Amino acid sequence: MDARQARHLHEERLMALAHVSGVGTGRDEESGEDVIVVFVTRKVPRDGLRPEDTIPDTLEGIPVRVLSMDDPEAPPEP
């Protein structure tokens, strides 16, 4: 299974998770391997999430990368 197929298979479930704003595919800059990219409104430490809202490290054997869409100019949330 390739990254696009894995994304398609899991996209609906990923989009239902807290803070997720988008799902795509891409290429890891360091390894060059295909990855599933999950865009989040802000990164939250795993221990700050409910278990059901945790994004997995891999899906169907494809690595998952989480990218925060935080605005670097915005003040931190309380």
Side-chain angles (χ1 to χ4, degrees), residues 4-77:
R4 290 183 335 173
Q5 292 169 321
R7 176 195 53 89
H8 180 72
L9 185 63
H10 295 278
E11 186 170 14
E12 187 174 326
R13 183 178 66 82
L14 290 168
M15 288 298 297
L17 299 177
H19 309 293
V20 173
S21 60
V23 180
T25 57
R27 192 168 296 274
D28 186 274
E29 292 178 2
E30 293 180 21
S31 69
E33 65 186 336
D34 290 336
V35 296
I36 297 169
V37 182
V38 179
F39 299 95
V40 296
T41 54
R42 64 185 176 99
K43 276 194 171 181
V44 176
R46 283 184 187 258
D47 62 356
L49 292 169
R50 298 178 307 168
E52 60 269 21
D53 284 327
T54 301
I55 297 170
D57 293 327
T58 63
L59 290 167
E60 308 299 327
I62 308 297
V64 175
R65 300 294 183 258
V66 179
L67 293 178
S68 175
M69 303 308 295
D70 278 346
D71 179 355
E73 303 285 321
E77 291 188 28

